[in-house]
Amino acid sequence: MMRFTPALFNHTEALLAELLRSPFPADAVVSRYFRQHRELGHADRGFAAETVYAALRRKRSLSARCGDDVTSRRLLLATLACVNGMNRRELDSVLREVEGKWLAQAKAVKLEDLPPAVRLDLPDWLYETLCARFDADEVEKLATGLNQSAPLDLRVNLLKAERDAVLARLQADGIAAEACRYSPHGIRLNGKPSLARHPLFLDGSIEVQDEGSQLLGFLVQPKRGEMVADFCAGAGGKTLLLGAMMRSQGRLYAFDVAEKRLAKLKPRLARSGLSNVHPVRIESEHDIKIKRLAGKLDRVLVDAPCSGLGTLRRNPDLKWRQTPESVAELNAKQASILAAAAGPVKQGGRLVYATCSLLEAENEAIVAAFLAAHPDFVLLSAADILRKQGVEIDALEAGDDRLRLLPHRHGTDGFFAAVLQRT
């Protein structure tokens, strides 16, 4: 059981201060801090992590509450009082005498009096971009969804276990869980228990993977015995899903430019029981290893490097890091990668382009430009492909062949995907 103490407050403040000045991703900073402070127990770590992430999510409106003196200490106190709902008595042990009056004023700030972008905790450029796409009411709901903490989703490795059996085992172990709304392989946990030492995790029966990410595998729809590539494999979450869908038969390439990311795939691969995965480091999307596969692959997944703005529930720092300029740089890379990934796709083969972005510039615009330059590819209906596999997605935009998942509509990260077929 976690007990709120001045020592825990000091650790949380130190971690938040580090996050606010660090150029590195928030999850890496948090992990490093916890490695350096092993005296913090599981509950204390959970409190510190959730609190600093809440501060990052709500940084703009919390800064408005802080007035002219925005410090990590004030941001933390405002988070505890205004987001976590702690009262004055609970904060007494950490509150300095002069801070009582300021905190009362901070709590009295009316959110509805703040400009919309500040109230919704979005940078101006992102708020304006979303307003060009959605009406004001939808932007409000989307921003609210992005400001929630993401649930913990698991994917059952069907090579090793059945979902019902995994659910029964988790519930027997006192872990509240239910089947995901859409993914036939998915389980959503109620809370965030530590699973690193759970037998189902250790034997590869389960992997942590957002439900939206799982659905991308059903768009690729790989079959046993096919030749398939995960073009930007990273640490291999989707690679493992594709391999399991192939029942470990055929050949599955996991391409990535980063040796470090592919190294993270190795222990996961060992647990998974898959024998058809071939991790390959490439120099770039133009690597000769890619060119040698011209016209040979049945299916290629391009989970393109992107702004990550669909993942703000779990990566809230990204909204303060990304800029229109950084997105424009990504657009050039995305177009280049998609064009290169088309080369290995055989006639009648399938190419799936996906991002975890909400921006048209990274999604529809990239696909439209690709189709204009590649008349031998056509767009297939993502909803039809999913429906044929028993996956019904509600709240999709009518008549649109692409898949768009949004946290406030679907309870997943924000994902975009387009399914392209070489004619």
Side-chain angles (χ1 to χ4, degrees), residues 386-399:
L386 292 173
R387 197 174 294 118
K388 284 171 186 166
Q389 297 170 82
V391 179
E392 274 302 337
I393 309 263
D394 46 6
L396 287 181
E397 291 172 24

Side-chain angles (χ1 to χ4, degrees), residues 155-272:
R155 177 183 60 79
V156 177
N157 176 2
L158 296 187
L159 281 184
K160 296 207 163 189
E162 295 297 326
R163 180 163 70 173
D164 287 348
V166 171
L167 277 167
R169 173 67 192 271
L170 291 172
Q171 283 155 1
D173 292 342
I175 298 171
E178 61 184 4
C180 278
R181 187 164 145 196
Y182 306 115
S183 170
H185 302 178
I187 288 176
R188 179 156 292 177
L189 301 187
N190 182 6
K192 294 188 177 168
S194 177
L195 294 170
R197 292 188 182 88
H198 195 282
L200 289 173
F201 180 77
L202 293 172
D203 76 3
S205 294
I206 56 172
E207 277 282 344
V208 174
Q209 188 174 26
D210 181 75
E211 184 181 16
S213 176
Q214 294 180 39
L215 292 175
L216 297 183
F218 291 88
L219 292 180
V220 179
Q221 205 182 356
K223 304 278 200 302
R224 301 177 194 218
E226 289 187 332
M227 286 182 71
V228 179
D230 186 353
F231 206 79
C232 306
K238 295 178 194 72
T239 306
L240 299 176
L241 165 59
L242 297 176
M245 293 177 85
M246 295 166 76
R247 309 302 292 181
S248 199
Q249 294 172 31
R251 194 170 184 86
L252 173 56
Y253 293 101
F255 292 122
D256 205 274
V257 293
E259 191 72 61
K260 257 187 183 173
R261 286 198 290 264
L262 287 175
K264 288 180 182 172
L265 169 59
K266 284 179 183 167
R268 301 174 80 186
L269 199 49
R271 286 196 305 268
S272 73

Side-chain angles (χ1 to χ4, degrees), residues 34-51:
F34 289 158
R35 280 198 305 276
Q36 291 167 344
H37 297 277
R38 296 189 185 276
E39 70 273 21
L40 289 168
H42 178 69
D44 288 347
R45 288 173 182 223
F47 173 85
E50 285 294 328
T51 303

Side-chain angles (χ1 to χ4, degrees), residues 56 157-158 191 199 223 241 254 278 323 337 352 374:
L56 288 176
N157 176 2
L158 296 187
K223 304 278 200 302
L241 165 59
H278 301 271
T323 63
I337 288 172
V352 176
H374 297 80

